[in-house]
Amino acid sequence: MSTLRTTTLKHGSSTIDNIVFDNQGRSTFGADALFVNAQNQRVGVNTTSPAVALDVVGAINATGNVVFNGQLNLTGNLTVDTNTLVVDS
């Protein structure tokens, strides 16, 4: 990544170091915690090489509804509320 600008963002007592902008439309925030590639419209969390539109390396916690439009592929175990499970083919 050819770096155009590196900066630090401060607000009150909060600081994000290592904000990097390059000449290929890519930005990295907080030592690779968040990576944005404007060229291929991909965002990586804890990765600088996102393979899909949103690529997260690590656990995900969602509060509220999660909507999937397309196929859901799982690797590993799926745990569902043991009192309710509906599969309608």
Side-chain angles (χ1 to χ4, degrees), residues 30-79:
D32 299 342
L34 179 63
F35 176 80
V36 179
N37 188 331
Q39 283 186 322
N40 64 12
Q41 299 177 336
R42 293 181 180 175
V43 175
V45 178
N46 293 323
T47 179
T48 57
S49 55
V52 293
L54 176 60
D55 197 342
V56 178
V57 175
I60 299 172
N61 184 16
T63 302
N65 296 328
V66 178
V67 177
F68 294 95
N69 292 315
Q71 185 170 331
L72 174 63
N73 297 314
L74 299 173
T75 302
N77 296 330
L78 172 64
T79 304

Side-chain angles (χ1 to χ4, degrees), residues 2-3 9 16 19 21 28 31 36 42 51 56 58 61-62 68 78 82 84:
S2 174
T3 301
L9 179 65
I16 300 175
I19 301 173
F21 302 94
T28 305
V36 179
R42 293 181 180 175
V56 178
N61 184 16
F68 294 95
L78 172 64
T82 57
T84 307

Side-chain angles (χ1 to χ4, degrees), residues 1-9 16-23 25-32 34-37 48:
M1 182 185 305
S2 174
T3 301
L4 283 180
R5 179 90 170 132
T6 301
T7 190
T8 299
L9 179 65
I16 300 175
D17 289 320
N18 301 320
I19 301 173
V20 177
F21 302 94
D22 76 2
N23 59 358
R26 298 176 298 191
S27 306
T28 305
F29 303 87
D32 299 342
L34 179 63
F35 176 80
V36 179
N37 188 331
T48 57

